Amino acid sequence: ARPLAKKIVATYKLCSEQLSSQTHYDYGMRAVMAVLRAAGNLKQVYKQEDESILMLRAIRDVNVPKFLSHDLPLFEGIAKDLFPGIELPKPDYENMLAAMNWACEQANLQPERYFIQKTIELYEMIVVRHGLMVVGFSYGGKTSSYRVLAETLGKLNELGQNEENKVRVYAMNPKSITMGQLYGQFDPVSHEWTDGILA
């Protein structure tokens, strides 16, 4: 475990030094916890797999979706240097891709390779993160991506595949209530915690 821990630290140290500076890049403890959580989830599914492979996959799953395209080759170089000779097996998304193509057809969307890739990255981020934000330009496909993903997971649940759950989407205006009402807040006078609607 110690050599892998050192590789996580080295990965984030090199990323912070070599990759471009972006506000949404995170190399702190939150990122390390996300990698450890992802590695733990992978270890539960693939008990006999080499831990170096699982750690590399966890690092990639957590970080690749948030990196800009010009930073990806640098990140791939860092990963190859820290994990020499390790080739990641391709994840099995056969059922998900079939359901995703169906969901695109239902929404009258073309299942373009880039759109499908970004939707799968969104799924991977949801699996390893407690919360996330989808950002991008107007008409970039953000809303369509999460809606197609929701339909995909619902279809997989309906078919009894991949142990997925049906998704319900609630859209709300975050400015209609305060942050404390949304997430919960501590009252400094009474020293009591009040849960928010998302808690």
Side-chain angles (χ1 to χ4, degrees):
R2 186 177 296 268
L4 292 177
K6 288 181 179 177
K7 287 184 179 186
I8 294 173
V9 172
T11 300
Y12 283 125
K13 184 174 185 299
L14 290 169
C15 285
S16 67
E17 292 169 357
Q18 296 180 19
L19 273 54
S20 65
S21 179
Q22 304 292 328
T23 55
H24 66 279
Y25 287 3
D26 178 22
Y27 306 121
M29 286 306 295
R30 185 182 303 131
V32 171
M33 284 303 299
V35 169
L36 293 175
R37 198 176 303 115
N41 292 341
L42 289 169
K43 185 66 175 173
Q44 288 177 347
V45 176
Y46 306 104
K47 292 178 175 51
Q48 304 305 318
E49 190 64 78
D50 179 31
E51 288 186 353
S52 293
I53 292 174
L54 296 179
M55 186 58 67
L56 178 57
R57 182 163 171 209
I59 290 171
R60 284 183 48 78
D61 288 352
V62 168
N63 292 294
V64 167
K66 67 182 174 187
F67 287 147
L68 299 179
S69 58
H70 63 272
D71 284 330
L72 284 174
L74 293 170
F75 176 76
E76 294 296 339
I78 291 169
K80 278 193 169 66
D81 290 345
L82 291 172
F83 294 89
I86 294 181
E87 289 294 324
L88 288 180
K90 292 281 184 194
D92 180 20
Y93 285 129
E94 185 178 340
N95 294 339
M96 180 170 279
L97 289 172
M100 203 170 285
N101 285 321
W102 173 86
C104 284
E105 186 180 310
Q106 295 302 306
N108 201 24
L109 296 171
Q110 294 180 1
E112 291 288 328
R113 186 181 62 80
Y114 185 76
F115 178 78
I116 297 294
Q117 175 190 342
K118 287 299 173 187
T119 305
I120 288 175
E121 287 176 2
L122 175 62
Y123 169 75
E124 290 172 346
M125 288 298 283
I126 289 171
V127 169
V128 299
R129 295 276 186 180
H130 177 68
L132 59 94
M133 202 179 305
V134 182
V135 297
F137 293 115
S138 299
Y139 298 100
K142 301 179 297 294
T143 303
S144 295
S145 182
Y146 83 74
R147 286 180 178 166
V148 164
L149 180 59
E151 287 297 317
T152 299
L153 297 177
K155 184 68 170 176
L156 289 171
N157 175 264
E158 184 182 305
L159 298 172
Q161 297 174 337
N162 296 28
E163 299 178 24
E164 297 296 349
N165 296 311
K166 189 166 174 52
V167 175
R168 284 181 282 184
V169 176
Y170 297 99
M172 59 178 284
N173 180 356
K175 295 179 181 175
S176 63
I177 56 175
T178 66
M179 291 285 280
Q181 292 169 327
L182 186 62
Y183 296 110
Q185 61 190 352
F186 178 76
D187 187 338
V189 176
S190 66
H191 292 284
E192 291 181 354
W193 175 262
T194 305
D195 284 337
I197 60 174
L198 295 181

